[in-house]
Amino acid sequence: MSITLLPADGPVAVVLLQGEITAAEFDPAAAIQHLIDHERVQIVLDCGGLTHVDDEAVGGLLEHLPLIREHGGDLRACALPSLLQGALITALREAGVETFGSRASAVASFARRRRPRLTAHQVGGPRGIVVIALRGVADAPSDSVKALSLILDRMLSAEQIVLDAREVTSLKDETFLGSLLLLDFRFAATGGSLRIVAPRELQVPGLVPGADALLASYATLDAALVGRPLPEVTARGEVQVLHREGVHELRLLGRLGSRERCAELFGALEQLRADRVAPLLLDGAELTDLPRAARHALGVQLRGLSVRGAKVAVVPEGAWFLPPTALSSGPRVHRFEGRQAALAWLRQR
């Protein structure tokens, strides 16, 4: 077995692998930490001299891939011998590691795809408002995890947060977008306000339901800072919470198309979560409007309640206001056409 770090030639670290590599002899932790310490986290594995590598050795290497990406780097592999290509290429690609025919093409791929990861830092703003400036790219969870951590941290103490995303050049990370949607509703449920200023080209219709509307919520920073409201739905809806004979009832009435009505809905759910195992009847028979983002977040909440052991009954059976995944959460979530059948099932021991 031979593992050689070639002399530095630019920012990319080239590691030459030769001979047979087994998990018993191969411990990549120290080598990877050395590269991280020296800020050489764009790594190419040249496999041209490999004659054998076992699955455990590959697994041990890929275990460190999240750490490499957390520091802004990535891993490429090149010149894989034909005898090793099948299983090895499959393992690498499942981990998101790209493979190339030559060392030169692997090294060049970093230059072509180098991009600034998403950064976030707090900047000045009017009294009582936290302004967080976002810059760079968020196309994968590793790009945006630190930015999300800062936003979460500020939500613990702030009442109003404005995200200035005018210098974000790409935003396709579904985890980041989905997290922002859930944070928006939960923050509003506690009286907080999350506003986002984003260029029109960052709207991502269909990537995460409702994300495009959230990103387009304010066109300018000035509008976000003064809290100019979004257009309101004229016919107001209502969220009712009832407690009858050991069953929680959450009734959704009319049009819940505004942020305020959605905030009421998720505020009510937060209160019900305190009693984790109490049965819940979600009655949307008289609901006429609920934004797609709210439907997605509501489905997440219902799945969470069922996982904690609560029985959940949904009325009516069609339940247009929930995503299909929320209605396939196992035997503890059932749909019923009428309230009486739903209550009878919930009260069964």
Side-chain angles (χ1 to χ4, degrees), residues 5 15 24 66 72 95-96 98 124 154 163 181 183 243 285 326:
L5 175 62
V15 179
E98 295 184 67
R154 295 301 180 267
L163 302 182
L181 286 169
L183 288 174
H243 307 277

Side-chain angles (χ1 to χ4, degrees), residues 175-210:
T175 301
F176 183 64
L177 291 170
S179 297
L180 286 182
L181 286 169
L182 288 173
L183 288 174
D184 181 36
F185 288 120
R186 296 190 69 173
F187 198 36
T190 61
S193 171
L194 175 65
R195 306 165 190 158
I196 301 178
V197 181
R200 187 173 298 277
E201 56 268 24
L202 278 186
Q203 296 180 38
V204 284
L207 184 63
V208 173

Side-chain angles (χ1 to χ4, degrees), residues 5 18 81 95 105 121 124 126 143 187 200-201 212 215-216 220 238 242 256 258-259 269 272 278 298 316 348:
L5 175 62
Q18 296 177 302
S105 59
H121 64 278
D143 294 330
F187 198 36
R200 187 173 298 277
E201 56 268 24
D212 48 343
L215 291 173
T220 67
E238 185 178 357
L242 307 172
L256 304 180
S258 69
R259 285 175 181 262
L269 278 170
L272 296 178
L298 181 57
Q348 289 176 359

Side-chain angles (χ1 to χ4, degrees), residues 36 41-42 65-74 113-121 133-149 167-171 173 176:
I36 290 173
V41 288
Q42 297 175 334
L65 186 55
L67 179 63
I68 295 170
R69 289 174 173 165
E70 184 180 322
H71 286 80
D74 209 344
R113 301 172 199 187
R114 285 187 69 186
R115 52 181 172 72
R117 301 170 69 199
L118 190 70
T119 61
H121 64 278
L134 304 176
R135 295 183 176 88
V137 170
D139 286 347
S142 57
D143 294 330
S144 50
V145 61
K146 291 184 178 179
L148 189 60
S149 296
E167 294 187 41
V168 175
T169 55
S170 182
L171 185 53
D173 174 17
F176 183 64

